[in-house]
Amino acid sequence: MASLRAAELIRLARRARENAVAPYSRFRVGAALEAASGTIYGGCNVENATYGLTVCAERVALWKALSEGERDFRGLAVVTDAAPPATPCGACRQLLWEFCGDLELILANLDGREEHCRLSALFPAPFDRSTLPER
Ligand code: THU
């Protein structure tokens, strides 16, 4: 991924992180998902008193994009204050794989550290529709 594009996705993920609703964990996450249309959808984690109904930043960005009709995706930046930069959780890996395929990922933190990889590197043996019988 060209570094200018990566820098822009990181900037938008950082901005989305500022809206994180994380009073329980105090772990703030921001995501920026770039659709093939060129539109970039931001997302932050949203926690609530049940804990279990928390939604990750990656999924908020993904639902926003899908609900606007997007179906093809180019890249995703995730920004946290973790070192090394945090990777998407298992549930998000599954959903990103199903809706975005082998997406380019940029994992960054507030110290300016950034790592690049493909989703397949984090999710190497997926269960997806190719496993299911034809309908
Ligand atoms: N979180 C995310 O937003 N994305 C991830 O991939 C990992 C975890 C959030 C959920 C919760 O609000 C907080 O981080 C701590 O788990």
Side-chain angles (χ1 to χ4, degrees):
M1 177 180 293
S3 63
L4 250 182
R5 212 174 117 229
E8 179 64 358
L9 283 181
I10 291 171
R11 186 182 73 79
L12 293 171
R14 241 180 131 113
R15 194 169 80 182
R17 181 179 173 275
E18 286 166 18
N19 294 326
V21 183
Y24 303 102
S25 71
R26 307 215 173 270
F27 186 68
R28 301 163 74 81
V29 186
L33 178 62
E34 183 186 21
S37 65
T39 302
I40 297 170
Y41 297 84
C44 61
N45 54 329
V46 182
E47 300 179 350
N48 67 94
T50 68
Y51 287 42
L53 293 177
T54 290
V55 187
C56 292
E58 296 89 328
R59 265 177 279 170
V60 170
L62 180 58
W63 298 156
K64 282 170 70 177
L66 290 170
S67 66
E68 291 301 320
E70 303 286 5
R71 293 295 183 267
D72 295 307
F73 299 96
R74 285 186 189 149
L76 171 77
V78 181
V79 172
T80 62
D81 196 16
T87 58
C89 78
C92 287
R93 292 179 199 196
Q94 174 72 35
L95 291 164
L96 289 169
W97 178 265
E98 288 200 38
F99 290 106
C100 308
D102 197 9
L103 195 62
E104 291 184 67
L105 300 181
I106 306 162
L107 311 172
N109 69 18
L110 299 184
D111 296 333
R113 184 161 161 191
E114 77 185 66
E115 284 164 14
H116 295 237
C117 66
R118 289 254 172 201
L119 182 58
S120 55
L122 299 181
F123 201 57
F127 177 87
D128 60 25
R129 62 186 303 157
S130 69
T131 316
L132 298 170
E134 298 258 343
R135 287 189 165 264

